[in-house]
């Protein structure tokens, strides 16, 4: 299965996992009228925890490249900054100040979550003695990847079948998945602009996606195409989990400014374009 070693194949598979999981989550919330917690907030919490604990998949035979692709594709596509920014604007009746304050508080909570789970991972690494670490590194290539691929493709089949089952318009759902992968690929390409102290690519993807999201909702009348563009393309072009994960890995004050400017600009363009 050498074709599974190609980065964009891994990214496409990961994206399908993430976007189908988001579709199913939205369906379950609507189906059972769950109003105890905001769906965007819950999805972002789950996505941030997932991206911070993805390293555990190496125990099942996942390579570092697969973990990286799953972080970008699965967690990155499950959480959506454009939907997050738009929900803040509409839920606070287009009050920009309230949107920024609430958005900052929520993102601060996501940062704490990611930092906490990252610290657990660092603690696990520090507890391993040097000889054991060296032996583990030498045997990495011999790890059986079968459990990982079994888990991966089982999830892929189950989520895609469930996704097709719950949607009424099958043809449009295929377009939805294609645009989702395209959005994820575009974020990956834009990510090449990321630098050590500032993630220009992710920043640009989140702002661009938020602008497109607001314009689509404002100017397109078809509910189906609004769902396709906002949920698939914008949903996978923008990300909360990857954004938070990057913010905690760059120098602290750069991270603070990165978070602040992303929320302020994202909320502003969303509110102004509504």
């Amino acid at each position: 299965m050498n074709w599974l070693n190609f980065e964009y194949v891994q990214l496409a598979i990961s994206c399908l996992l993430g976007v189908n999981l988001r579709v199913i989550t939205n369906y379950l919330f609507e189906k059972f009228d769950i109003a105890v917690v905001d769906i965007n907030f819950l999805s972002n919490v789950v996505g941030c925890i997932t991206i911070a604990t993805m390293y555990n998949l190496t125990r099942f035979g996942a390579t570092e490249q697969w973990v990286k692709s799953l972080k970008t594709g699965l967690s990155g596509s499950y959480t959506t900054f454009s939907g997050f920014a738009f929900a803040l604007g509409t839920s606070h009746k287009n009050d920009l100040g309230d949107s920024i304050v609430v958005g900052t508080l929520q993102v601060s909570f996501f940062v704490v979550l990611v930092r906490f789970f990252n610290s657990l991972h660092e603690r696990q690494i520090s507890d391993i003695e040097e000889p054991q670490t060296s032996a583990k590194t030498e045997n990495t290539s011999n790890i059986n990847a079968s459990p990982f691929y079994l888990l991966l493709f089982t999830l892929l089949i189950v989520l895609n079948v469930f996704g097709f089952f719950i949607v009424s318009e099958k043809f449009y759902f295929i377009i939805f998945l294609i645009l989702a992968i395209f959005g994820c690929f575009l974020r990956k390409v834009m990510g090449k602009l990321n630098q050590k102290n500032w993630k220009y690519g992710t920043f640009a993807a989140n702002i661009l996606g938020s602008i497109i999201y607001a314009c689509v909702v404002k100017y397109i009348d078809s509910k189906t195409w609004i769902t396709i563009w906002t949920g698939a393309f914008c949903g996978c072009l923008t990300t909360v989990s990857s954004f938070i994960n990057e913010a905690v890995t760059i120098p602290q004050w750069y991270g603070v400014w990165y978070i602040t400017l992303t929320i302020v600009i994202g909320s502003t363009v969303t509110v102004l374009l509504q």
Side-chain angles (χ1 to χ4, degrees):
M1 293 192 292
N2 291 332
W3 57 276
L4 288 173
N5 293 325
F6 290 104
E7 184 178 15
Y8 282 89
V9 171
Q10 296 178 358
L11 194 62
I13 292 173
S14 302
C15 175
L16 288 175
L17 289 171
V19 74
N20 272 293
L21 189 58
R22 176 153 48 86
V23 168
I24 293 169
T25 302
N26 291 338
Y27 169 79
L28 293 176
F29 264 71
E30 293 178 6
K31 179 72 173 179
F32 298 103
D33 194 23
I34 302 173
V36 178
V37 60
D38 178 67
I39 185 172
N40 286 294
F41 178 76
L42 179 62
S43 296
N44 289 331
V45 167
V46 173
C48 287
I49 293 175
T50 303
I51 201 170
T53 57
M54 198 73 75
Y55 60 85
N56 285 305
L57 287 176
T58 56
R59 299 177 182 179
F60 297 92
T63 63
E64 291 296 328
Q65 182 175 313
W66 260 112
V67 171
K68 186 177 179 181
S69 295
L70 286 165
K71 284 183 174 182
T72 302
L74 194 159
S75 299
S77 298
Y78 181 63
T79 61
T80 163
F81 181 81
S82 54
F84 170 71
F86 189 82
L88 284 174
T90 54
S91 62
H92 294 280
K93 300 179 180 179
N94 295 334
D95 187 312
L96 182 58
D98 286 351
S99 297
I100 292 174
V101 170
V102 174
T104 302
L105 289 174
Q106 290 191 22
V107 167
S108 298
F109 177 70
F110 303 150
V111 168
V112 171
L113 273 179
V114 173
R115 284 192 181 277
F116 172 73
F117 284 101
N118 282 347
S119 68
L120 291 181
H121 179 43
E122 292 168 1
R123 189 177 306 171
Q124 289 176 359
I125 294 176
S126 64
D127 288 341
I128 301 175
E129 296 180 359
E130 189 64 31
Q132 293 175 324
T133 305
S134 300
K136 184 177 179 180
T137 303
E138 292 173 1
N139 293 328
T140 299
S141 59
N142 296 324
I143 295 177
N144 183 9
S146 298
F148 167 69
Y149 285 119
L150 178 61
L151 175 64
L152 180 75
F153 285 105
T154 299
L155 282 174
L156 184 64
I157 293 170
V158 170
L159 291 178
N160 273 286
V161 169
F162 195 6
F164 271 97
F165 175 76
I166 63 179
V167 297
S168 56
E169 299 177 333
K170 313 300 182 187
F171 173 74
Y172 286 109
F173 188 62
I174 294 174
I175 298 176
F176 182 95
L177 296 180
I178 292 172
L179 277 178
I181 294 173
F182 178 68
C184 188
F185 280 3
L186 181 57
R187 172 159 51 86
K188 176 67 176 179
V189 172
M190 294 178 72
K192 296 182 184 298
L193 299 174
N194 289 342
Q195 300 296 321
K196 180 180 179 181
N197 293 335
W198 194 275
K199 305 303 179 180
Y200 296 101
T202 306
F203 176 79
N206 278 339
I207 301 305
L208 175 63
S210 297
I211 293 172
I212 296 173
Y213 191 112
C215 288
V216 166
V217 173
K218 185 174 182 178
Y219 296 111
I220 294 182
D221 296 326
S222 169
K223 184 178 179 180
T224 298
W225 283 105
I226 288 176
T227 301
I228 289 174
W229 281 105
T230 60
F233 179 72
C234 294
C236 293
L237 172 63
T238 65
T239 175
V240 171
S241 57
S242 296
F243 156 56
I244 300 299
N245 192 56
E246 291 171 349
V248 302
T249 57
I250 61 179
Q252 185 174 2
W253 284 109
Y254 286 101
V256 171
W257 279 109
Y258 178 50
I259 290 171
T260 302
L261 287 178
T262 301
I263 294 173
V264 170
I265 296 176
S267 298
T268 300
V269 297
T270 299
V271 168
L272 292 178
L273 289 171
Q274 287 184 33

